[in-house]
Amino acid sequence: MPGRAAVCAAGGGAGRRPGSAHWTGTASDHAQARIRFLGTELQSAHSELDFVSKALAKAAEQFALAQAHLVYALDDAKSAKLNVAPDGRITWDKEPTSANYAGAGAETTAIAISNRITAALNEADHADQEISARLNHLATNASNGLGLDAAMVAKDQAAETAREQIPAKGTDPASVKKWWDGLTDTEQQKFIHDNPDQVGNLDDVPAVARDQANRLNLTRSQADLRKQLSDLDKSEPLSVTGTPYGATESPDHIVWKAERDALQGKLKGIQAIQDRLDKSVTEQDPRPFLLGLDAAAPGGRAILALNDPDTADHVATFVPGTESKLADVGGTMDKAKEMYRSAIDASPGSKVSTIAYVNYTAPQSARPSFTQPVPDAAYEGYAKDAEQNLYNFQSGLRATHQGSPSHNTIIRHSYGSTVVGYAMRDKGLPVDTVVFAGSPGVGVDKAGGLNVDLAKGTKMDPSKVYAVLGGDDSITDWTPDPFAPDNYNPRSDDYHLRFGRDPMNPAFGAQHLPSQNTDHDHYWNKGTPSWKRFGQVIAGRPVA
């Protein structure tokens, strides 16, 4: 059998079994393993090339859109008799008797078109940077062999998938910012128009984009609420029912009416926001930015800023207290407006942004009553539930701010001070200054117990913590520590309110702002001592 022996020797001990057409043995096993491995490499290479194809397609789409924006701007310039030089300079004929006279409003038109040209070029530059980074990564994979590695392909696929998915609300600020900044302008606009409710309420997305998304969200929410109200009106139950004591309102009608009142309240709040967005912009009433809107949440939620906080020198967030909800957002916006006016009065020339933050489920009853002997505001659960959202929002303000860090203040009123105090105690808030107005306690016994950065152990400087209590504010009378003895002395260092030591107590360590005889709801009235001091604090000026 010399022929068979030669075959076995040449095959390293492998050969064909009698009656078999298959190659078997050690060499066969190695060859088949290598073929399978090669197949995996080829599949990986195919996937990487597919990523390249998608990147080039997105680049073409983005560049075409930027080019279209540029062409439209140049066409409008030509129609307005403006001449655009290759370097972007715009000139025009200023002689009224000339056939090419551009008109009295030429300068204003030229500025607007120049801004559009700049925006189109920036759009193309942004796309170029993002696409180049992606192609460079894929080219590196191809040159060093990593593009043949299934693990690398899986990682690239995960990154591609992540680009196409909106991060969940509550995702850490760095990850959200990296996701948003990694999108081309076209991709960003697609997310805004397709998912305005998600993008508009996602912390760490720039204020301009959130505002654009939430304006769409506002219109859609208003239409949805109107439909819900219309459907509810068609199903009104019997309003009166008989009892042994006579006719009375039926339980079903009471529930129906409460639901209807809630819908009408949310519509009222949305209209108040729309009115503010439609208002003419002046120095005293700057451009509003709608940073959050959730009409479906209990009571409804909204966040509205005056001026862009991402470019402001000084940013203040106002957190209202008990009974705050979407229906009453108008009053909260008015307080934010007064703080804005006070701040620019204290620091002329500075860019200020003040924010009305109606973004938590607030307690809706403050005082005991016959039907509710223990009011909602007596419970700390509302504050604890609000901690994470407030932390995410404040962290987002830091993450999206452009240029040098802004001076950030958080001003909280009534139960809102408990919300902020708990958030600073348990999460830490990245702010420079805090103000408590009419507070029932903030969860800590000393100003120095408030955290700025919990991870680093950074505490609030007590000299940057302010408290104010008006002479006619009775909150300390109806929010004392429920376990305190009847003869508890309010002037004692140990005197506590329901949620901790009174911030006005000297032992707390806060700086006191004057208020004269202000009552619980009017610290923001122009002309009051607190109105003036709020502006000084927000602007980082000495309080005098």
Side-chain angles (χ1 to χ4, degrees):
M1 303 287 289
R4 183 174 182 182
V7 171
C8 288
R16 297 178 185 276
R17 296 190 184 94
S20 172
H22 298 286
W23 183 25
T24 62
T26 304
S28 171
D29 292 342
H30 283 301
Q32 291 184 50
R34 179 56 186 157
I35 290 171
R36 286 193 297 270
F37 184 71
L38 181 60
T40 300
E41 287 186 324
L42 290 173
Q43 183 59 48
S44 297
H46 180 273
S47 297
E48 289 283 293
L49 289 172
D50 188 48
F51 295 147
V52 172
S53 176
K54 289 180 179 179
L56 291 173
K58 285 183 180 294
E61 179 184 9
Q62 181 67 22
F63 290 141
L65 185 60
Q67 183 181 46
H69 290 160
L70 179 60
V71 169
Y72 292 151
L74 295 176
D75 286 347
D76 288 346
K78 185 176 180 180
S79 298
K81 297 183 179 181
L82 303 176
N83 304 309
V84 182
D87 63 359
R89 288 184 301 110
I90 300 179
T91 58
W92 60 91
D93 192 333
K94 301 178 182 179
E95 175 53 52
T97 60
S98 171
N100 292 320
Y101 176 53
E107 183 174 3
T108 300
T109 304
I111 291 173
I113 289 177
S114 177
N115 290 337
R116 289 169 58 191
I117 291 173
T118 299
L121 295 175
N122 288 340
E123 185 179 352
D125 182 60
H126 183 206
D128 180 59
Q129 292 181 33
E130 293 305 321
I131 298 301
S132 294
R134 292 163 69 183
L135 291 177
N136 285 338
H137 168 74
L138 295 170
T140 300
N141 284 355
S143 63
N144 62 19
L146 286 176
L148 302 177
D149 181 12
M152 175 56 73
V153 173
K155 185 176 180 180
D156 288 342
Q157 182 61 64
E160 191 73 18
T161 301
R163 290 174 60 83
E164 299 170 356
Q165 294 180 343
I166 299 175
K169 187 171 177 60
T171 301
D172 69 278
S175 297
V176 176
K177 189 174 189 303
K178 182 179 179 181
W179 168 76
W180 185 258
D181 290 346
L183 300 174
T184 64
D185 291 358
T186 302
E187 290 171 326
Q188 290 176 354
Q189 288 301 312
K190 187 177 188 317
F191 278 121
I192 287 172
H193 286 91
D194 292 351
N195 308 95
D197 55 332
Q198 291 176 267
V199 174
N201 289 293
L202 190 59
D203 297 312
D204 316 309
V205 168
V208 171
R210 292 181 71 169
D211 176 62
Q212 184 183 353
N214 279 315
R215 288 177 187 243
L216 293 174
N217 191 17
L218 185 77
T219 301
R220 297 179 187 183
S221 295
Q222 187 176 51
D224 183 57
L225 288 170
R226 284 174 174 165
K227 184 179 185 306
Q228 290 183 52
L229 188 60
S230 175
D231 291 344
L232 190 67
D233 283 343
K234 296 174 184 176
S235 61
E236 181 178 2
L238 292 174
S239 59
V240 177
T241 185
T243 72
Y245 306 99
T248 185
E249 186 175 12
S250 70
D252 287 344
H253 194 268
I254 291 174
V255 172
W256 176 88
K257 185 178 179 183
E259 187 176 351
R260 191 175 191 278
D261 289 346
L263 289 173
Q264 288 181 320
K266 289 179 177 180
L267 279 169
K268 173 188 172 185
I270 282 180
Q271 188 59 54
I273 294 172
Q274 187 65 63
D275 291 344
R276 191 61 54 96
L277 295 177
D278 293 341
K279 194 171 184 179
S280 299
V281 174
T282 67
E283 183 181 0
Q284 293 292 310
D285 290 289
R287 182 194 188 289
F289 288 76
L290 187 55
L291 304 183
L293 180 68
D294 184 358
R301 300 181 181 184
I303 308 172
L304 189 125
L306 296 178
N307 260 343
D308 184 354
D310 290 344
T311 58
D313 304 312
H314 307 284
V315 180
T317 304
F318 173 60
V319 183
T322 303
E323 297 181 356
S324 62
K325 53 186 178 295
L326 183 57
D328 304 316
V329 70
T332 305
M333 292 189 299
D334 287 342
K335 291 180 175 66
K337 179 180 69 176
E338 287 305 319
M339 285 184 279
Y340 169 82
R341 292 177 174 180
S342 176
I344 60 173
D345 184 63
S347 182
S350 295
K351 186 170 183 183
V352 175
S353 175
T354 56
I355 302 169
Y357 183 89
V358 185
N359 193 43
Y360 74 102
T361 301
Q364 293 301 305
S365 60
R367 296 175 181 268
S369 66
F370 178 77
T371 57
Q372 193 173 5
V374 180
D376 293 340
Y379 298 99
E380 67 173 12
Y382 295 94
K384 293 187 71 67
D385 289 345
E387 289 180 5
Q388 190 65 50
N389 278 349
L390 184 58
Y391 169 79
N392 291 342
F393 180 72
Q394 291 299 316
S395 297
L397 290 178
R398 290 296 192 195
T400 59
H401 193 269
Q402 303 169 23
S404 301
S406 54
H407 173 260
N408 286 11
T409 301
I410 191 162
I411 298 177
R412 45 283 186 96
H413 177 227
S414 191
Y415 192 90
S417 67
T418 308
V419 170
V420 175
Y422 273 50
M424 295 194 76
R425 181 193 69 187
D426 300 336
K427 303 287 183 182
L429 295 180
V431 296
D432 302 292
T433 314
V434 294
V435 180
F436 299 112
S439 175
V442 300
V444 296
D445 284 347
K446 290 184 177 294
L450 300 169
N451 294 299
V452 175
D453 188 326
L454 197 63
K456 295 180 179 178
T458 307
K459 299 287 187 178
M460 197 73 209
D461 179 354
S463 69
K464 301 298 182 181
V465 179
Y466 295 88
V468 59
L469 183 69
D472 289 338
D473 189 337
S474 60
I475 189 168
T476 55
D477 295 336
W478 47 272
T479 59
D481 180 352
F483 302 106
D486 292 338
N487 60 352
Y488 208 18
N489 183 2
R491 295 181 179 82
S492 165
D493 286 353
D494 291 330
Y495 184 72
H496 281 56
L497 300 176
R498 180 168 291 275
F499 301 113
R501 179 178 280 142
D502 184 351
M504 290 296 291
N505 191 297
F508 185 82
Q511 313 305 306
H512 295 177
L513 300 178
S515 60
Q516 293 181 349
N517 293 325
T518 307
D519 64 20
H520 189 63
D521 296 317
H522 295 92
Y523 293 99
W524 294 268
N525 284 14
K526 185 174 182 179
T528 60
S530 51
W531 180 92
K532 178 180 178 181
R533 273 64 177 197
F534 287 157
Q536 292 172 342
V537 171
I538 292 169
R541 296 292 188 264
V543 177

